[in-house]
């Protein structure tokens, strides 16, 4: 379940309470009249089943609560309550599958900036992958995929496209378009430095590398793997009980390819550099396509589930009435 803490302007408490009381997924409703000071208003507390959370939050936004008050959302790990169990039973679908769009938007919003931290992690991951390529060591590729932060911007692009958040999608795209070339350039310099000090050499790149040569040999399976990785990453992002590393681990399809480009260019093996570039582009496009399609399916499914129950129609009517009352006050 999710716990909501609302600060509601006094003149909108009644429609908010009607909305919450009329929704079967809401329970444990508490009202603290006049408790809020900044912004001023009443504090309303409640718990809501994840399956119904997005519809409730959308209706509260329609009432203008974020503009004149606030909405804070927290995950609740343990709820011992018969009323809470009833709310979860009455909500459509399963909580583990539920998508709270406001939560997803907030989560990926922190991943869209081209920050120094993002560049450091991406560069370090690419250098680790470059060494793994030269040594033909999959364990180092695994290490690079754990460090790589690139799924954050990839997920933000997908969410921005599906939710029509153009600014989010553009900022995330900039993080990818600028981040990968910069990380590859710094990795190229690192490879040359390692070569100068005698830790690596060109013969390592030209030698047989059966465990890692797939990185620069794209084929139809590269597209399939990238597409599946996009699906897995988005499901891990939207699911309430997914493994935290799933989204991070799919960087195995991108970071090693960027690293192989750097190594191949450093040693003048341009056919391998070109193959790695194609692999990187194919994987990025496939991941984005898989992620966008997954979000579209989830959005369509949950929109249909949310429109079926009577409680949601009632919430929409309450929100519409509140908007009419607000317009009448403004005209008066």
């Amino acid at each position: 379940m999710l716990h909501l803490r609302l600060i509601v302007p006094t003149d909108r408490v009644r429609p908010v309470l009607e909305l919450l009381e009329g929704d079967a997924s809401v329970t444990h409703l508490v009202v603290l009249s006049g408790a809020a000071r900044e912004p001023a208003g009443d504090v309303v507390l409640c718990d809501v089943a994840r399956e119904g959370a997005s519809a409730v939050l959308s209706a509260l936004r329609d009432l203008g609560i974020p503009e004149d008050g606030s909405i804070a959302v927290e995950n609740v790990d343990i709820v011992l309550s018969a009323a809470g169990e009833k709310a979860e039973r009455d909500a459509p679908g399963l909580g583990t599958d539920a998508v709270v769009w406001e939560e997803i938007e907030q989560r990926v919003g922190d991943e869209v900036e081209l920050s120094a931290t993002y560049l450091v992690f991406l560069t370090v991951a690419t250098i680790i992958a470059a060494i793994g390529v030269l040594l033909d060591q999959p364990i180092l590729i695994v290490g690079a995929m754990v460090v790589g932060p690139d799924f954050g911007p990839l997920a933000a692009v997908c969410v921005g496209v599906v939710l029509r958040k153009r600014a989010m999608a553009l900022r995330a795209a900039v993080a990818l378009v600028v981040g990968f070339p910069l990380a590859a350039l710094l990795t190229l310099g690192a490879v040359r430095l390692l070569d100068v000090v005698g830790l690596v050499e060109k013969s390592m790149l030209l030698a047989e590398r059966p465990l890692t040569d797939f990185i620069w040999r794209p084929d139809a399976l590269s597209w399939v793997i990238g597409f599946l990785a996009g699906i897995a990453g988005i499901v891990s992002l939207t699911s309430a009980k997914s493994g935290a590393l799933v989204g991070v681990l799919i960087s195995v399809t991108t970071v090693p390819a960027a690293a192989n480009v750097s190594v191949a260019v450093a040693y003048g093996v341009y056919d391998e550099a070109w193959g790695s570039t194609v692999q990187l582009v194919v994987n990025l496009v496939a991941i984005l396509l898989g992620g966008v399609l997954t979000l579209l399916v989830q959005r369509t499914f949950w929109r249909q589930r949310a429109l079926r129950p009577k409680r949601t129609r009632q919430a929409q009517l309450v929100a519409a009435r509140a908007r009419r009352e607000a317009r009448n006050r403004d005209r008066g």
Side-chain angles (χ1 to χ4, degrees):
M1 298 195 77
L2 298 178
H3 179 69
L4 306 186
R5 187 185 72 246
L6 314 175
I7 296 179
V8 183
T10 303
D11 62 343
R12 260 171 284 176
V13 170
R14 184 171 64 86
V16 166
L17 293 180
E18 290 180 1
L19 167 68
L20 298 176
E21 290 173 344
D23 196 302
S25 65
V26 177
T27 187
H28 308 145
L29 183 61
V30 178
V31 180
L32 305 175
S33 300
R37 293 292 180 266
E38 180 57 39
D42 297 348
V43 175
V44 178
L45 308 174
C46 66
D47 293 331
V48 57
R50 284 187 63 89
E51 303 93 301
S54 197
V56 171
L57 291 172
S58 179
L60 289 171
R61 294 173 78 170
D62 288 342
L63 289 171
I65 303 305
E67 287 74 21
D68 303 317
S70 77
I71 302 175
V73 184
E74 298 176 304
N75 281 296
V76 180
D77 294 327
I78 299 176
V79 177
L80 303 178
S81 166
E85 293 177 358
K86 182 179 184 302
E88 291 183 327
R89 287 195 305 269
D90 292 342
L94 298 175
T96 54
D97 296 331
V99 180
V100 183
W101 295 101
E102 292 77 9
E103 179 185 45
I104 303 306
E105 183 180 345
Q106 188 76 31
R107 187 181 299 175
V108 301
D110 298 332
E111 307 289 346
V112 300
E113 300 296 338
L114 186 64
S115 63
T117 301
Y118 167 77
L119 290 174
V120 168
F121 274 116
L122 186 58
T123 302
V124 169
T126 309
I127 293 174
I128 293 173
I131 297 173
V133 164
L134 290 169
L135 296 178
D136 196 33
Q137 285 295 328
I139 187 94
L140 295 179
I141 302 298
V142 174
M145 75 185 184
V146 172
V147 175
D150 52 305
F151 183 66
L154 285 167
V157 171
C158 296
V159 173
V161 169
V162 173
L163 299 185
R164 299 180 182 179
K165 302 289 184 179
R166 183 178 179 183
M168 174 189 293
L170 287 177
R171 290 199 304 273
V174 168
L176 293 170
V177 172
V178 175
F180 271 110
L182 183 57
L185 182 61
L186 293 173
T187 300
L188 189 153
V191 170
R192 287 181 172 172
L193 179 61
L194 292 173
D195 184 85
V196 169
V197 299
L199 295 178
V200 298
E201 56 186 26
K202 185 176 181 178
S203 61
M204 299 170 68
L205 181 67
L206 299 178
E208 290 293 326
R209 292 180 287 126
L211 299 180
T212 57
D213 67 351
F214 70 92
I215 295 172
W216 64 279
R217 298 180 187 272
D219 54 20
L221 286 177
S222 300
W223 176 269
V224 173
I225 292 172
F227 185 80
L228 294 175
I231 295 175
I234 290 299
V235 171
S236 75
L237 179 71
T238 58
S239 175
K241 294 184 178 180
S242 61
L245 282 178
V246 174
V248 180
L249 293 182
I250 71 160
S251 64
V252 68
T253 61
T254 55
V255 168
N260 210 97
V261 172
S262 300
V263 174
V265 170
Y267 287 122
V269 185
Y270 296 111
D271 60 332
E272 190 165 329
W274 172 251
S276 301
T277 302
V278 173
Q279 181 80 279
L280 176 60
V281 173
V282 166
N283 286 325
L284 289 174
V285 173
I287 289 170
L288 291 173
L289 182 60
V292 168
L293 290 178
T294 301
L295 284 172
L296 286 174
V297 170
Q298 290 177 316
R299 190 165 178 79
T300 301
F301 174 79
W302 282 102
R303 181 177 291 170
Q304 291 175 347
R305 294 298 295 265
L307 289 176
R308 290 175 187 170
K310 181 179 178 181
R311 60 179 180 79
T312 303
R313 293 197 295 272
Q314 180 179 355
Q316 292 173 336
L317 291 174
V318 170
R321 186 178 68 187
R323 288 195 296 270
R324 288 196 300 270
E325 293 176 352
R327 286 196 296 268
N328 292 334
R329 285 197 302 270
D330 294 339
R331 292 170 183 170

